Amino acid sequence: MFNLILFGPPGSGKGTQSEKLIAKYNFKHLSTGDLLRNEITRKTPLGLEAKKFMDKGQLVPDEVVIGMISSTLDNNPNVVGFLFDGFPRTATQAEALDKLLELKQQSINVMLALDVSEEELVKRLQKRGETSGRSDDNQQVIRTRILEYNKKTSPVADYYRKSKKAEMVKGEGTIEEIFKGLIKEIDSRIHKK
Ligand code: AP5
Ligand code: MG
């Protein structure tokens, strides 16, 4: 298996690039944001609880997302690899992920971090807010999301740096250019195996 974390701040293009990577490599996409929005649409107790945090731009409690990831890993035993999008977002989540993968004799192969300036993030998310219908795509909540990222999520990169699994990738430019940068990093590692 080849397990990849696509890392980056809100609006850095994780979802956009995930779609393209899945089409190319057939990874199983695991976006905690999408999973949570699905719970909200279905009005499940988990969704209703998560919505309180998401509408404010705050992170949902660790145990909620870790539980979701754990069951999704169990439900997908025969995949070529997982593409984690928007997870892990805290040090606790990163440690929990390592433990869950270890139970399956698996590990993270690489963490690719999309590098995008704050100005560009705000521009992209405000633009998307005009049509997305996402309750967190408005100016005030966007600001909180970026603050949460800087405070709680950005340090997660250090966790992967320590094990030499982290790589920065250019996150500005055309979608195709960025995609090529990601492919280069993935292929150099897949082919080494
Ligand atoms: P989540 O759904 O993960 O949202 P996010 O991280 O805030 O990021 P986005 O999905 O908004 O952006 P993206 O990086 O996917 O970029 P995209 O491709 O869409 O999380 C939402 C909330 O759920 C969190 O705030 C939290 O409350 C909760 N949550 C989720 N996971 C959690 C976890 N693990 N722990 C705790 N809480 C959790 O692109 C953005 C826009 O830019 C799009 O309009 C796109 O078309 C455009 N764009 C993309 N690439 C380019 C480009 N190269 N040039 C110009 N525009 C571009
Ligand atoms: Mg996304």
Side-chain angles (χ1 to χ4, degrees):
M1 268 171 89
F2 189 88
N3 299 305
L4 158 75
I5 296 170
L6 194 53
F7 192 79
S12 55
K14 301 184 295 294
T16 305
Q17 296 296 334
S18 287
E19 256 184 54
K20 295 174 72 68
L21 291 170
I22 286 149
K24 181 170 167 69
Y25 295 99
N26 216 15
F27 294 132
K28 170 74 187 163
H29 187 203
L30 238 163
S31 155
T32 40
D34 289 349
L35 291 170
L36 290 166
R37 280 184 289 277
N38 183 272
E39 298 279 340
I40 292 175
T41 307
R42 289 167 34 228
K43 296 196 165 60
T44 64
L46 192 157
L48 295 174
E49 177 63 17
K51 189 172 175 5
K52 293 183 210 158
F53 296 92
M54 292 168 77
D55 282 350
K56 287 188 248 166
Q58 295 169 352
L59 292 185
V60 171
D62 285 333
E63 56 276 18
V64 174
V65 277
I66 292 167
M68 258 182 5
I69 288 286
S70 171
S71 50
T72 314
L73 293 183
D74 288 343
N75 293 335
N76 292 278
N78 298 311
V79 295
V80 295
F82 290 100
L83 193 176
F84 297 95
D85 159 0
F87 179 90
R89 260 173 146 101
T90 63
T92 306
Q93 291 180 21
E95 284 159 20
L97 179 60
D98 273 351
K99 288 204 186 100
L100 289 172
L101 289 173
E102 212 175 285
L103 289 174
K104 301 180 189 304
Q105 279 102 45
Q106 290 295 325
S107 60
I108 290 297
N109 294 76
V110 68
M111 186 209 81
L112 299 176
L114 292 166
D115 189 16
V116 179
S117 74
E118 206 155 301
E119 194 191 342
E120 171 74 9
L121 297 174
V122 173
K123 209 167 80 186
R124 286 184 191 176
L125 291 175
Q126 274 180 347
K127 184 162 171 235
R128 186 176 68 185
E130 292 165 14
T131 53
S132 69
R134 261 179 68 165
S135 56
D136 57 351
D137 277 348
N138 63 74
Q139 205 176 347
Q140 204 183 340
V141 179
I142 291 169
R143 189 162 306 135
T144 311
R145 284 160 67 193
I146 294 176
L147 284 174
E148 283 276 277
Y149 174 84
N150 289 338
K151 195 165 76 188
K152 298 176 187 164
T153 305
S154 156
V156 172
D158 295 330
Y159 182 85
Y160 294 99
R161 269 187 209 112
K162 274 185 206 139
S163 48
K164 303 219 178 335
K165 287 180 176 173
E167 199 69 56
M168 273 308 228
V169 174
K170 194 169 157 249
E172 292 190 34
T174 68
I175 289 171
E176 211 50 46
E177 277 165 14
I178 298 162
F179 183 51
K180 281 198 187 124
L182 293 169
I183 289 177
K184 200 176 132 223
E185 295 297 340
I186 294 170
D187 284 351
S188 72
R189 287 171 174 84
I190 285 187
H191 294 143
K192 246 195 247 161
K193 287 179 21 167

